[in-house]
């Protein structure tokens, strides 16, 4: 390989590296966003679960005989 070919190869490699660095940064930002969303959803789930199971460990739903009938009855 002559000097010009080597410079061309180096230039292509530098270009690929720049694109890879940009892609890694974009993926990192997407991952951070998804992690934040996951943490928010986990927190919301815990709140909903705590409301559903109020203290005694059983679902906070009335027994069948205490439920009001659906509107079509």
């Amino acid at each position: 390989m002559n000097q010009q070919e080597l410079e061309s190869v180096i230039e292509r490699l530098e270009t690929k590296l720049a694109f890879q660095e940009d892609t890694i940064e974009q993926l990192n930002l997407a991952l951070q966003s998804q992690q934040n969303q996951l943490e928010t959803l986990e927190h919301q789930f815990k709140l909903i679960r705590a409301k559903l199971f109020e203290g005694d460990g059983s679902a906070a739903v009335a027994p069948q005989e205490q439920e009001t009938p659906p509107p079509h009855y």
Side-chain angles (χ1 to χ4, degrees), residues 56 58-69:
D56 63 358
S58 63
V61 178
Q64 182 72 24
E65 57 274 359
Q66 293 179 0
E67 288 287 334
T68 56

Side-chain angles (χ1 to χ4, degrees), residues 13-52:
L13 289 173
E14 287 174 341
T15 301
K16 285 183 179 183
L17 178 61
F19 281 116
Q20 288 177 348
E21 287 175 340
D22 183 58
T23 300
I24 290 170
E25 181 62 27
Q26 289 177 23
L27 290 170
N28 186 46
L29 292 173
L31 182 60
Q32 287 175 350
S33 175
Q34 288 179 349
Q35 182 63 36
N36 291 338
Q37 289 175 341
L38 178 61
E39 289 171 1
T40 299
L41 289 171
E42 286 175 337
H43 179 70
Q44 290 172 344
F45 176 76
K46 286 177 184 177
L47 291 175
I48 291 170
R49 190 167 190 269
K51 281 192 169 219
L52 183 62

